[in-house]
Amino acid sequence: MTEATPQLLFAAMLLFGLLLQTVSQHGPTADKPKEKPNFIIILADDIGWGDLDANQLEERANNTPYLNLMALQGLRMTDFHSPASTCSPSRAAILTGRYGLRNGVTHNFGVNSLAGLPLSEVTLPQLLQKAGYHTAMIGKWHLGHNGLYSPTNRGFDYYLGIPFSNDMGCTDIPGYNLPQCLPCDSYGPQVIRLKRNIHGGCYSRIGLPLIENSSIVEQPLDLWTLTEQYKSAALRIIHNASEQGQPYLLYIALAHMHVPLAPPLSPDAPTTDNHPNSGVYAASLRELDSLVGAIKNASDATDRDNTLIWFTGDNGPWEQKCQYAGSVGPFRGKWQTSKGGGSAKQTTWEGGHRVPTVAYWPGRIPANTTSSALLSGMDIFPTVLSLAGVTLPSDRRYDGIDATNILLHGEQLGHEFLFHPNSGAAGRFGDLQTVRNGKHKAFYITGAAEACGGGTGKQQVHDPPLIFDLERDEAEETPLDVKTTEYQVVAERIARRREKLLWDIATDKSVSIADYRTDKSAAPCCDLTQTVCRCPRLG
C-alpha cells in the first residue's frame, strides 16, 4: 500500500469538511434542533400585498426596510393567503388550522359580543403551553373578550392589547379614519345617532380599552403610546424567556394598518399619490416596520439561531378608507371593479386575501429565497407544532398543511386546492365560494366590498363558475372561455374537490358553532358609572 501524498490528504480533508457542512445544512438533523425552537408570529391587520417593499421593488417606497432585510435574510412567500378576508375568521383559522365552517367563526365579533371562538376549539398556544412553552400575546385579539373567551383562557400565559379593532371604541385623541372618529367626550346621544345613521363605524360610547391579562389597565387608551407599550412588552418577554431558558411562543397582532396608527403628522409632512393625507398610511407602515425591526433585533441578540419569526397579514386593504388603505399591488380584481365596488378586504378577489409574508430563521431557513408555493395562514398551526415536536390532536380534522419542507428546504409543493370563504361581500358568511387550484381560480359567487367613494357591486352567482388563469391574468380581468378544453378540464377537477370538501365538512363531528349573541352589558368597561367607561392607567 503506497503512502498518501500531502495533496491527497488535503483533498480528502477538504472533501470531508464539505460533506460535514452539507449534512449539517441539509441532513436529517436539520429538522431536529437540540432545543425546542421559539416562535414569533407577527400578524399585521389590513395590510396589502403591495405594502411590502420587497414585493414591489420597482416602487422603491422604502416604507418597510426592516421587513425587506428580514426577506433578504430569510424567505419571502409570494403566494401566501389569509384564511379569510376579514378579522375574526382569519384569526380563528390561524390559531386552529381550520376553515371557519369547521371552527365556527365565520364573521366578526363586536364590542357587545357575549362569546367568541368556540371553547370546543383547540388553539395553537394551548398545545404549545402543554408542551412546556411560555405563551404570550400582544395586540388585537378579536376572538371574544369575556370570561373563558379571553386570551389568557385560550392558551396564553400573558396578554397585553386591545380586545377588538382600534376603531371599535373612542379615544381622547382619535386615530386617522374616514370618516374621522370623534374624541370620547364628544359622544352625546345626537352625535351617536348621526354617526350611526350616516356613516356607521366608529360611534361607540365605549372607551377603547387596554387589557393586561384579564384586567383593563387603561380606558380609553392612548393610541399614540401604544406602539411603545407593545415594544416594551415584547422585548421583556423575549429577554425573560431567554434568561429562563424556556421556549416561547410570542404572537403579536398589530392593528397599525386597520385604520392608520402612527404619530400625528405635521401639516408640511410629505404626501404621495395626490392624496392630501396619504403620508399617514406610509407613516403607519413605517411605524409597524420599526416595531418588527426591534423585535427581530431582540430575538437575534438572545436566541438568533433557534427562533422562527413569521410575518403575515390577516386580510387585504380596506379600500373604502381611500387614502388610509394599503396597496394590493397587481392583484386588482379588475373583473369586479369594472362592474363597481372594491376587490380587496371582505372579498375573495386576490387583493382580499393574498398577503405579504416573510419567514426568518438564521441557519435554518436559507437566506434571500422566494417561494411561490400556494400557502395559507392556516398552515402556521400544523407547521409550528411540527417544528415544536407536538402531535396534532387526532379528534378533529384540519385544513392547514405542514409547510416545514417549504420553509427549510425550498420545496415548492403547497396546497393542491385552497378554498376562500365569503367574508361579507357576497353569499353567506363562511361559505367556501372560491377555489384555487394551481394557477387557476374558480368563482361560484362574486361580490364586491364598498370601494373608496361608496360604490358597491352586485352579488352574482356563477353556474358554470368564472375561472381565471392567475399566471396570465393576475389582475383577474378576463375569465377563461367556457367552451375551451382548458376550462372544462379545470372546472370538472375543481367541482369534484369542492363537493368532496363540502361533504367532509357536513360529516365532520368536530365542527364547532360560534355564539354570536350580543348584549350591551358584554362590552368591556372599567367603570359603568362613566359615560364612556373612563379610568386612568393602573399601576
Side-chain angles (χ1 to χ4, degrees):
M1 186 174 180
T2 58
E3 187 172 343
T5 65
Q7 291 85 355
L8 286 173
L9 286 171
F10 176 78
M13 291 173 64
L14 180 61
L15 180 60
F16 182 68
L18 289 172
L19 285 171
L20 280 178
Q21 183 180 19
T22 301
V23 170
S24 66
Q25 291 179 347
H26 305 290
T29 57
D31 288 332
K32 298 178 182 178
K34 293 180 181 179
E35 302 175 72
K36 288 185 176 182
N38 307 309
F39 303 104
I40 300 175
I41 310 299
I42 304 174
L43 186 68
D45 201 347
D46 287 15
I47 193 168
W49 189 91
D51 288 337
L52 175 64
D53 292 338
N55 280 344
Q56 298 197 108
L57 292 175
E58 68 281 0
E59 299 293 332
R60 298 181 182 178
N62 198 33
N63 287 326
T64 59
Y66 292 106
L67 280 167
N68 296 346
L69 177 62
M70 202 160 86
L72 185 66
Q73 297 174 339
L75 173 69
R76 181 169 60 94
M77 292 171 256
T78 59
D79 205 355
F80 193 99
H81 301 260
S82 60
S85 297
T86 192
C87 301
S88 297
S90 185
R91 291 155 202 273
I94 287 170
L95 291 180
T96 64
R98 288 151 57 88
Y99 286 120
L101 287 183
R102 293 195 203 272
N103 66 43
V105 181
T106 57
H107 55 287
N108 286 339
F109 295 104
V111 173
N112 297 325
S113 289
L114 289 165
L117 175 66
L119 301 178
S120 55
E121 289 298 305
V122 178
T123 68
L124 177 63
Q126 285 173 322
L127 294 171
L128 290 178
Q129 195 177 52
K130 290 179 180 178
Y133 275 75
H134 174 69
T135 57
M137 182 189 170
I138 295 171
K140 173 181 167 180
W141 173 236
H142 213 170
L143 288 174
H145 50 269
N146 282 301
L148 295 176
Y149 297 94
S150 63
T152 51
N153 287 305
R154 303 313 300 267
F156 289 106
D157 296 312
Y158 175 81
Y159 172 65
L160 176 71
I162 54 178
F164 28 66
S165 299
N166 56 353
D167 60 345
M168 291 173 67
C170 63
T171 58
D172 288 334
I173 306 176
Y176 299 97
N177 206 338
L178 188 70
Q180 181 64 42
C181 296
L182 297 176
C184 283
D185 289 340
S186 301
Y187 281 87
Q190 291 182 339
V191 172
I192 292 171
R193 280 198 299 273
L194 178 66
K195 298 287 280 186
R196 179 186 293 119
N197 293 337
I198 296 178
H199 300 299
C202 54
Y203 54 81
S204 175
R205 300 178 70 173
I206 297 296
L208 186 63
L210 179 65
I211 295 176
E212 187 170 30
N213 294 324
S214 57
S215 301
I216 297 174
V217 294
E218 185 180 9
Q219 191 176 22
L221 61 78
D222 183 351
L223 282 172
W224 312 112
T225 65
L226 196 56
T227 299
E228 196 59 38
Q229 292 191 64
Y230 283 176
K231 183 171 83 171
S232 297
L235 301 191
R236 183 176 68 250
I237 290 163
I238 292 170
H239 288 297
N240 287 348
S242 176
E243 289 176 0
Q244 295 168 11
Q246 184 180 15
Y248 65 87
L249 165 70
L250 175 56
Y251 169 48
I252 307 174
L254 304 175
H256 286 68
M257 317 319 301
H258 182 80
V259 286
L261 174 58
L265 295 178
S266 62
D268 57 350
T271 62
T272 58
D273 299 328
N274 299 318
H275 287 309
N277 292 310
S278 59
V280 169
Y281 189 88
S284 293
L285 195 53
R286 289 192 294 270
E287 176 116 332
L288 178 148
D289 182 73
S290 67
L291 179 54
V292 172
I295 291 165
K296 176 183 179 293
N297 290 340
S299 172
D300 284 348
T302 53
D303 206 356
R304 181 176 184 271
D305 298 330
N306 200 42
T307 304
L308 167 63
I309 304 178
W310 197 329
F311 174 91
T312 189
D314 74 332
N315 52 249
W318 199 356
E319 281 185 291
Q320 73 183 75
K321 297 299 178 178
C322 301
Q323 69 267 29
Y324 298 140
S327 166
V328 296
F331 306 108
R332 291 171 284 174
K334 293 176 76 173
W335 186 94
Q336 181 63 64
T337 56
S338 68
K339 294 171 174 55
S343 60
K345 178 178 176 176
Q346 293 186 305
T347 78
T348 58
W349 299 99
E350 287 293 290
H353 50 73
R354 191 182 292 225
V355 287
T357 306
V358 176
Y360 167 79
W361 192 353
R364 304 295 305 286
I365 293 178
N368 197 21
T369 51
T370 302
S371 174
S372 59
L374 179 59
L375 295 171
S376 164
M378 292 185 297
D379 304 333
I380 292 173
F381 181 94
T383 304
V384 166
L385 292 176
S386 174
L387 291 167
V390 178
T391 303
L392 292 176
S394 59
D395 63 342
R396 61 200 63 225
R397 301 174 191 175
Y398 296 95
D399 301 296
I401 63 171
D402 182 357
T404 296
N405 286 333
I406 295 171
L407 295 184
L408 304 186
H409 304 306
E411 186 178 288
Q412 293 293 322
L413 186 61
H415 288 264
E416 182 183 5
F417 294 87
L418 185 63
F419 294 76
H420 302 297
N422 164 47
S423 297
R428 294 181 302 174
F429 283 119
D431 278 0
L432 301 174
Q433 61 191 35
T434 305
V435 189
R436 176 75 181 277
N437 171 224
K439 66 178 184 177
H440 294 106
K441 185 176 177 185
F443 288 80
Y444 289 87
I445 302 177
T446 55
E450 183 178 333
C452 175
T456 57
K458 294 181 180 179
Q459 173 182 308
Q460 293 186 48
V461 177
H462 301 278
D463 184 15
L466 289 182
I467 299 180
F468 295 86
D469 179 346
L470 295 181
E471 213 169 75
R472 298 194 299 250
D473 184 15
E474 59 188 5
E476 296 172 297
E477 183 175 15
T478 306
L480 300 179
D481 186 338
V482 297
K483 298 184 181 68
T484 63
T485 301
E486 179 186 9
Y487 177 93
Q488 292 168 7
V489 170
V490 172
E492 183 180 352
R493 183 169 63 235
I494 287 177
R496 284 199 306 266
R497 180 54 70 94
R498 182 170 181 257
E499 289 172 7
K500 180 180 178 182
L501 178 63
L502 293 176
W503 173 255
D504 180 74
I505 292 175
T507 58
D508 184 356
K509 294 181 180 179
S510 69
V511 165
S512 300
I513 299 175
D515 179 357
Y516 277 98
R517 290 177 302 159
T518 62
D519 190 284
K520 289 183 179 180
S521 64
C525 186
C526 62
D527 186 353
L528 292 171
T529 65
Q530 297 288 330
T531 305
V532 292
C533 299
R534 179 177 295 278
C535 64
R537 181 172 177 83
L538 305 176

